Amino acid sequence: MLPSIGDFLSNPASRARFLTQTDQFLAANPSYRGLSLDFEEIPTEAQPGYMALLAALYQDFQPRKLKLYVNAPVGDDDFDLKYIADHSDGILLMNYDQHQTGSAPGPIAAQDWYLDNLKNALKVVPKEKLICALGSYGYDWTTAMPPPVTKRRGTQPAAAVEPQVLAAEFKSTQDAWQLAADAEAQIELDPDSLNVHFAYDDNDAHVRHQVWFLDAVTILNEMRAARALGLQTFALWRLGSEDNSLWKIWDTPLHADPVKDLAQVEPGYDVDTEGEGDILRITREMQTGQRVVTMDDDDSVPMIYRSITAETMPSYPLSYTVEQTGYRPKEVALSFDDGPDPVWTPRILDILKKYNVVGTFFMIGEEAQNNVGVMQRVFREGHEIGNHTFTHPDISEISTGNVDLELNLTERLFAAKLGVQPLYFRPPYSIDQEPDTNDQAAPVDRIEKLGYVIIGDKIDTSDWDEHPRKSPQEIADSVFQQIDDMQTRSWMRGSIILLHDGGGDRSATVAALPVLIQALRDRGYRIVPVSALMDKTSAEVMPVLTPKQRWQARVDSIAFFVWAFFNHTVVGVFFVGDVLMSARLIVIGVFAVIDRLRTRKNFAGPDYNPRVAVLVPAYNEEKVIVRTIRSVMMSNYKNIRIIVIDDGSKDNTYDAAVDAYPADIASGRLTVLAKPNGGKADALNFALERTDEEVYIGIDADGVVAHDAIANLVCHFANPQIGAVAGNAKVGNRVNLWTRWQALEYITSQNFERRALDLFDVVMVVPGAIGAWRTAAVKTGGGYHTNTVAEDADLTMNLLEQGYSVIYEDRALAFTEAPVNMDGLMRQRFRWSFGILQAIFKHRGAIAKHRAMGLFALPNTLIFQILLPLFSPFIDLMFIAGVFNYIYDRHFHPEAASAASFEKLLAFFLAFLLIDFAASALAFALERKHPASKGDAWLLFHIWIQRFTYRQVFSVVLFKTLKRAIDGKPFNWDKLERTAKMSEATEKIAEGI
């Protein structure tokens, strides 16, 4: 048993404990900066203890700059206002309740009474510590009807007898206006008290109602009177019951224009509810009231302090009126929310079929779309269906447009898959299905105007609550407890029982349903469909589509199918792609590490020094050709002949090469050829016809070759099994974000993959930037084929099919000029991806001929360079949509938000990101140290944004590639504009520093 307030205040130990607990609470909640203490009806003998508590709190708060305010009633001599003021930061003087529920009818705060209270308080309380608390509410006193007045001749009239008070109820100002409107009574501002008043008789009950209340008019009068006494601070009792128009004058009561500011009166918060039952209908819309006031015309009073002396309301502010129907004392309907669920709904249907019960299922459109077969079974077995929105949001928290969309999507799904248009609607979370406020009633009004019938649920089994989960008997008992409560609480009366067939584990519902059905029947209840409570048939509440509507429904059915297929496909691609890409990174990482750590057998003896040709195809490379030739000439492998092929350049590429090195041309070390433009493959074939060296090196005309690159490549050809060797291409012009991202890609994607493929001697692409080839093998394969645009990839696959090995030499460095903007990058990768696609198709027979190439290398290229990148933006989109969907669910319908699904999505995505980062870090660790690679590690910080951007860009490129493949249009060289700008470290290599 809790102690009384007197016992608590008189006990020093209890007061000390209260002080400690208060300190702990404020320390745990630093946003609270103090305490407002409201202890009322304190026994006289406990007042010393109360004063001691105040003193202790104030002394405790002061050093910590916390505030203590104390609520004090008026007219109670036990409250020592001076002592309280001395031991607090302020007093909230509760200047109302002159008359209340325990008294006779009368003003709640007559103006003179109110002023006297302030004046008395100011005698002992400083103005700066007195806060005037104002009231805005009312009381409705029900009194016995006074007897008729009869006067007999020659007798004096009987003295007036105070009518007996039968009841008194608290009323908000909105309640008071509603009573006046219903009774067709006129309010008046009582001239003596300046409080609002009206009365009316209930002849049926033979009682009289006396209603007094405080509105914005009384608030203005009180604030002006208090300001005249020098008071500046006010409080309001109580929020939610006030006249909303008072906020127009609250901040500036002395400078407000009451005639204008108080003329329009918005209704209060609560709706007017009538009737009994779960089926709702709005019978009156909200309306704004009109007020006319008359100001005091006493010239001796300054304008800013003048009071309102009269008030009338030609029209009252009225809330929505909600009519509730459908209550039948011995009939109930079973309703099920949040399905259909593939597990629980069929089990519930089996039980309903066994007991021959017709239920009503309020379905979430999203769930129904995912479980169309279950939805159709519900309808096929004769149950009624209602709209529960498409995604289960709190409809009071979303826009009207979104509400319409939620309803319309679900309605069209029902039409498309069932051929009917159910009229029932139940808002999720019981929001607005039994609206208490105007804000909640507004969407109900809109939805009702769309043709829906709003269905509530007075009997809530709380079967959704799993903390703790109820037993079947507890669920049944809760239903009968609520039915019993209806006998004395009329506002609870209803006949619709709420259960759930979706939204979580519904095993408790399935277990409780047979128990509940049998118990209801044992007590004499009939279980009927909701339509029976409306005196309608199921066909009337689920009308069949018209012929015209059927055509629209067929189109919608196809649209819903495509939508569902797309959603499931993207989800599948996300998880499959995530697993595949993560597994690929792990596998490639393992292979790359093994390859890096192993030592390849060296077949080259000290005398192995074959003649080598270096082929440099060039088209409009005037700006860079001299630099490229110079880097090759500085090679430490001297047994070379450089062949530059000018493929019909429109600039001075040929002249630049000839003029720069006349002596080398004369000695035969440099040969500069010219031919009509025919493309890179044709230019290389032109040079091959004039090449008799055992090995040739192919490099791009914009590149810079490291001094030891050629020597590191050539030595491998001592092994007759080697057909080609891929060099290590790096971005030489790291001048902006796009080129740095390409440098990152070269290291973490291209070179990393080549290391893994090198373990099996099946490198799929020898880069045009730097690669070495066995001349005889290339000529045997027919040289460079012009029927693909990725001539390097095509030739590499050709050699692999011939049975040669193609390996990777990471020490053979070449620095190439990468595209400096997105347009250039997309054009370059368009050519690459189209060429790779051509080469894969051309060499598809390798699947049977070359095991490592056909079972590992080719599928790796096809899946991870063509297919998955096509869908990668959808994967990103799904992840982002999944995150926003979860946030949306947590905000609008937290009970249905699946944390497990979100965590799974997040885990998969984060796991991929972490694996990708780890693999990228490994790729950097495996790279050989070189002066030009200094600072490469900083590129890792770009990894996630680079990957995200690349996925979007390359997806567009791949779609263009597929379109071009379908169109069959030819390719030209699509030459990129050179800038001739290289990074400082690369320029040093080119200059021989």
Side-chain angles (χ1 to χ4, degrees):
M1 180 177 177
L2 292 174
S4 69
I5 185 69
D7 294 337
F8 158 63
L9 293 173
S10 299
N11 188 324
S14 297
R15 297 198 303 269
R17 188 161 50 251
F18 176 82
L19 181 61
T20 300
Q21 293 172 344
T22 301
D23 286 342
Q24 291 172 345
F25 174 81
L26 292 174
N29 299 274
S31 58
Y32 294 121
R33 301 304 305 152
L35 189 70
S36 178
L37 207 60
D38 185 7
F39 288 176
E40 300 180 38
E41 299 182 9
I42 300 172
T44 302
E45 62 273 13
Q47 281 290 340
Y50 181 49
M51 298 304 160
L53 177 64
L54 295 181
L57 282 169
Y58 189 59
Q59 183 179 6
D60 180 58
F61 282 11
Q62 286 297 296
R64 293 183 290 155
K65 297 183 178 180
L66 297 174
K67 300 295 184 182
L68 175 65
Y69 294 95
V70 181
N71 291 30
V74 293
D76 190 337
D77 294 335
D78 285 342
F79 277 78
D80 187 341
L81 296 183
K82 184 179 187 315
Y83 185 91
I84 295 173
D86 291 340
H87 294 85
S88 69
D89 293 287
I91 294 177
L92 278 84
L93 189 67
M94 297 182 287
N95 208 353
Y96 41 77
D97 274 354
Q98 179 183 2
H99 294 86
Q100 51 186 303
T101 53
S103 70
I108 298 173
Q111 189 75 358
D112 291 342
W113 176 87
Y114 164 86
L115 271 173
D116 288 342
N117 292 332
L118 291 181
K119 291 174 182 177
N120 290 332
L122 287 171
K123 292 176 182 178
V124 293
V125 180
K127 291 178 183 179
E128 61 273 11
K129 282 197 172 185
L130 188 62
I131 300 170
C132 183
L134 311 176
S136 183
Y137 61 91
Y139 292 111
D140 173 15
W141 285 270
T142 304
T143 64
M145 190 79 78
V149 178
T150 57
K151 181 180 179 182
R152 295 180 182 177
R153 184 176 299 175
T155 64
Q156 292 294 324
V161 179
E162 189 72 28
Q164 179 187 1
V165 176
L166 303 176
E169 292 182 0
F170 175 91
K171 296 292 181 183
S172 68
T173 52
Q174 180 59 53
D175 293 336
W177 289 324
Q178 185 68 53
L179 287 173
D182 292 343
E184 298 182 353
Q186 290 294 325
I187 68 164
E188 68 169 345
L189 190 65
D190 179 58
D192 295 327
S193 65
L194 295 184
N195 278 198
V196 190
H197 169 258
F198 69 91
Y200 67 94
D201 293 338
D202 183 346
N203 293 320
D204 293 334
H206 201 65
V207 294
R208 174 167 292 175
H209 288 266
Q210 296 275 357
V211 181
W212 290 85
F213 64 102
L214 304 172
D215 62 359
V217 169
T218 60
I219 290 287
L220 178 79
N221 289 344
E222 290 175 346
M223 292 183 80
R224 287 188 167 184
R227 284 290 179 90
L229 295 176
L231 296 177
Q232 300 295 321
T233 310
F234 300 91
L236 180 69
W237 178 260
R238 66 184 180 179
L239 289 176
S241 70
E242 77 274 14
D243 173 353
N244 276 328
S245 62
L246 70 83
W247 300 115
K248 300 175 184 177
I249 55 91
W250 182 265
D251 290 330
T252 56
L254 300 184
H255 303 288
D257 180 357
V259 175
K260 178 181 177 182
D261 294 338
L262 301 182
Q264 298 284 331
V265 187
E266 297 295 328
Y269 303 101
D270 298 333
V271 300
D272 177 31
T273 303
E274 299 177 352
E276 297 174 346
D278 317 79
I279 301 163
L280 274 63
R281 188 165 67 92
I282 303 294
T283 57
R284 185 189 62 214
E285 294 187 0
M286 184 173 65
Q287 71 177 41
T288 300
Q290 302 293 323
R291 176 190 281 130
V292 178
V293 300
T294 302
M295 302 300 299
D296 187 358
D297 58 2
D298 186 350
D299 292 337
S300 65
V301 179
M303 288 291 295
I304 60 174
Y305 295 123
R306 290 187 186 181
S307 299
I308 297 173
T309 56
E311 171 188 10
T312 59
M313 297 194 79
S315 63
Y316 292 110
L318 298 176
S319 298
Y320 285 99
T321 296
V322 180
E323 182 183 61
Q324 299 179 342
T325 61
Y327 172 60
R328 306 285 177 87
K330 278 297 182 178
E331 291 183 354
V332 294
L334 300 182
S335 66
F336 301 88
D337 280 12
D338 297 349
D341 184 275
V343 175
W344 307 113
T345 305
R347 297 185 187 182
I348 289 171
L349 290 173
D350 291 341
I351 296 170
L352 296 179
K353 187 174 184 180
K354 177 181 177 180
Y355 287 90
N356 194 28
V357 171
V358 175
T360 303
F361 290 78
F362 290 90
M363 296 186 176
I364 300 172
E366 199 169 41
E367 297 299 322
Q369 183 191 10
N370 292 332
N371 302 284
V372 171
V374 180
M375 173 180 65
Q376 290 173 334
R377 180 187 167 187
V378 172
F379 180 69
R380 189 169 58 249
E381 293 186 1
H383 301 286
E384 296 179 349
I385 290 175
N387 193 325
H388 201 43
T389 72
F390 198 81
T391 64
H392 204 268
D394 178 345
I395 63 171
S396 67
E397 297 288 340
I398 62 177
S399 67
T400 56
N402 282 342
V403 171
D404 291 347
L405 180 63
E406 290 275 343
L407 294 173
N408 188 255
L409 280 175
T410 309
E411 178 182 318
R412 293 175 75 165
L413 177 67
F414 291 153
K417 303 301 180 182
L418 302 178
V420 295
Q421 283 186 310
L423 302 182
Y424 296 151
F425 172 69
R426 174 179 283 166
Y429 311 109
S430 301
I431 298 295
D432 307 339
Q433 66 185 28
E434 295 182 13
D436 298 315
T437 66
N438 288 313
D439 287 344
Q440 294 174 348
V444 172
D445 185 37
R446 286 192 65 261
I447 292 167
E448 186 180 297
K449 289 176 179 176
L450 295 174
Y452 290 98
V453 178
I454 312 299
I455 307 298
D457 50 78
K458 293 284 190 178
I459 308 172
D460 186 354
T461 63
S462 296
D463 61 331
W464 52 269
D465 191 352
E466 299 180 7
H467 306 289
R469 180 171 293 166
K470 292 184 176 181
S471 69
Q473 191 58 52
E474 286 175 329
I475 290 177
D477 290 345
S478 73
V479 170
F480 291 111
Q481 180 61 55
Q482 292 174 71
I483 291 175
D484 292 341
D485 290 342
M486 293 177 192
Q487 307 308 313
T488 55
R489 302 174 184 175
S490 60
W491 65 89
M492 294 180 61
R493 290 174 185 165
S495 294
I496 299 178
I497 299 173
L498 172 63
L499 297 149
H500 292 80
D501 65 320
D505 182 352
R506 297 295 169 242
S507 56
T509 306
V510 172
L513 193 54
V515 176
L516 179 60
I517 292 173
Q518 193 59 53
L520 286 167
R521 287 177 171 171
D522 290 345
R523 297 197 184 194
Y525 285 90
R526 291 180 61 235
I527 303 175
V528 299
V530 170
S531 58
L533 301 176
M534 302 167 59
D535 295 322
K536 293 183 180 294
T537 65
S538 293
E540 289 177 301
V541 297
M542 293 189 295
V544 176
L545 301 180
T546 64
K548 181 179 179 180
Q549 289 172 326
R550 288 195 196 102
W551 283 106
Q552 177 66 50
R554 292 188 184 101
V555 175
D556 289 343
S557 182
I558 295 171
F560 280 115
F561 171 79
V562 172
W563 185 2
F565 177 79
F566 176 79
N567 283 341
H568 287 98
T569 299
V570 170
V571 170
V573 168
F574 174 82
F575 287 110
V576 171
D578 193 83
V579 170
L580 285 177
M581 288 188 291
S582 299
R584 171 182 178 268
L585 287 172
I586 294 171
V587 170
I588 285 180
V590 171
F591 289 167
V593 170
I594 295 172
D595 181 71
R596 179 69 169 79
L597 295 177
R598 72 168 178 160
T599 301
R600 185 181 289 277
K601 183 179 179 181
N602 184 11
F603 287 81
D607 298 330
Y608 185 72
N609 187 36
R611 182 73 171 165
V612 174
V614 180
L615 308 188
V616 188
Y619 175 69
N620 292 345
E621 304 285 6
E622 176 186 2
K623 293 180 181 179
V624 295
I625 190 64
V626 173
R627 182 184 64 195
T628 301
I629 296 171
R630 182 170 62 248
S631 72
V632 177
M633 286 185 171
M634 288 188 294
S635 171
N636 59 14
Y637 191 90
K638 300 303 181 183
N639 194 14
I640 60 173
R641 179 167 66 106
I642 305 169
I643 305 174
V644 176
I645 313 100
D646 179 19
D647 189 43
S649 298
K650 297 178 181 178
D651 63 1
N652 294 321
T653 299
Y654 180 85
D655 293 336
V658 170
D659 294 343
Y661 301 102
D664 293 286
I665 293 175
S667 68
R669 191 181 182 206
L670 173 64
T671 301
V672 182
L673 306 176
K675 62 176 287 294
N677 181 256
K680 184 177 180 181
D682 189 60
L684 288 166
N685 286 333
F686 184 76
L688 274 174
E689 293 171 359
R690 293 154 178 80
T691 301
D692 55 7
E693 286 81 357
E694 178 184 345
V695 175
Y696 75 88
I697 309 291
I699 67 172
D700 286 339
D702 64 324
V704 173
V705 180
H707 309 328
D708 58 353
I710 295 176
N712 287 327
L713 290 171
V714 171
C715 62
H716 293 287
F717 288 93
N719 180 357
Q721 186 60 33
I722 301 299
V725 183
N728 188 345
K730 290 182 172 289
V731 173
N733 60 326
R734 301 181 193 180
V735 295
N736 63 18
L737 192 62
W738 285 105
T739 55
R740 291 188 184 95
W741 282 357
Q742 289 171 81
L744 179 63
E745 177 204 7
Y746 277 36
I747 295 170
T748 61
S749 297
Q750 298 180 21
N751 292 349
F752 194 47
E753 183 177 295
R754 286 193 185 107
R755 289 187 191 279
L757 296 174
D758 182 58
L759 187 63
F760 303 96
D761 297 344
V762 286
V763 173
M764 292 295 291
V765 180
V766 175
I770 182 166
W773 307 83
R774 190 176 295 277
T775 307
V778 172
K779 290 184 176 181
T780 301
Y784 292 90
H785 294 189
T786 57
N787 58 355
T788 67
V789 294
E791 60 284 327
D792 304 314
D794 179 37
L795 182 56
T796 305
M797 295 181 194
N798 185 309
L799 294 188
L800 287 169
E801 284 198 89
Q802 289 184 49
Y804 284 101
S805 295
V806 179
I807 64 173
Y808 172 54
E809 176 52 71
D810 64 346
R811 296 172 301 171
L813 300 180
F815 300 87
T816 186
E817 184 175 333
V820 295
N821 53 42
M822 186 177 71
D823 178 66
L825 177 64
M826 291 181 70
R827 286 164 54 199
Q828 181 194 68
R829 299 313 167 88
F830 182 28
R831 179 185 179 87
W832 287 8
S833 61
F834 188 81
I836 291 292
L837 189 63
Q838 287 178 314
I840 290 174
F841 181 77
K842 182 177 179 180
H843 297 279
R844 62 191 182 279
I847 294 174
K849 297 177 183 178
H850 194 295
R851 182 172 298 177
M853 177 182 174
L855 298 181
F856 177 51
L858 271 179
N860 170 69
T861 303
L862 179 63
I863 294 171
F864 296 103
Q865 293 186 27
I866 302 294
L867 296 180
L868 279 179
L870 271 174
F871 291 94
S872 56
F874 298 110
I875 295 174
D876 289 326
L877 183 63
M878 184 207 161
F879 175 73
I880 294 170
V883 171
F884 277 102
N885 185 62
Y886 178 71
I887 295 171
Y888 179 89
D889 285 350
R890 288 285 297 172
H891 180 72
F892 290 114
H893 35 99
E895 292 86 352
S898 175
S901 297
F902 174 71
E903 288 166 4
K904 178 182 177 183
L905 178 74
L906 196 62
F908 270 76
F909 199 76
L910 290 179
F912 170 71
L913 292 181
L914 291 174
I915 292 171
D916 187 26
F917 184 83
S920 299
L922 178 62
F924 274 90
L926 296 177
E927 285 289 301
R928 306 277 183 181
K929 303 303 179 186
H930 190 277
S933 301
K934 186 177 180 181
D936 275 359
W938 288 104
L939 295 172
L940 268 175
F941 290 95
H942 295 256
I943 190 71
W944 287 321
I945 185 65
Q946 183 254 17
R947 292 288 199 260
F948 177 80
T949 306
Y950 262 44
R951 283 196 291 270
Q952 320 316 312
V953 171
F954 286 1
S955 177
V956 175
V957 168
L958 287 168
F959 274 109
K960 289 178 64 178
T961 297
L962 291 181
K963 181 178 181 298
R964 177 64 64 90
I966 295 169
D967 291 344
K969 293 180 181 178
F971 249 100
N972 56 27
W973 242 32
D974 193 21
K975 175 73 174 60
L976 296 175
E977 183 64 29
R978 302 298 183 195
T979 64
K981 291 181 181 179
M982 287 288 187
S983 305
E984 183 179 347
T986 307
E987 292 289 359
K988 288 181 179 179
I989 295 172
E991 296 295 334
I993 299 174

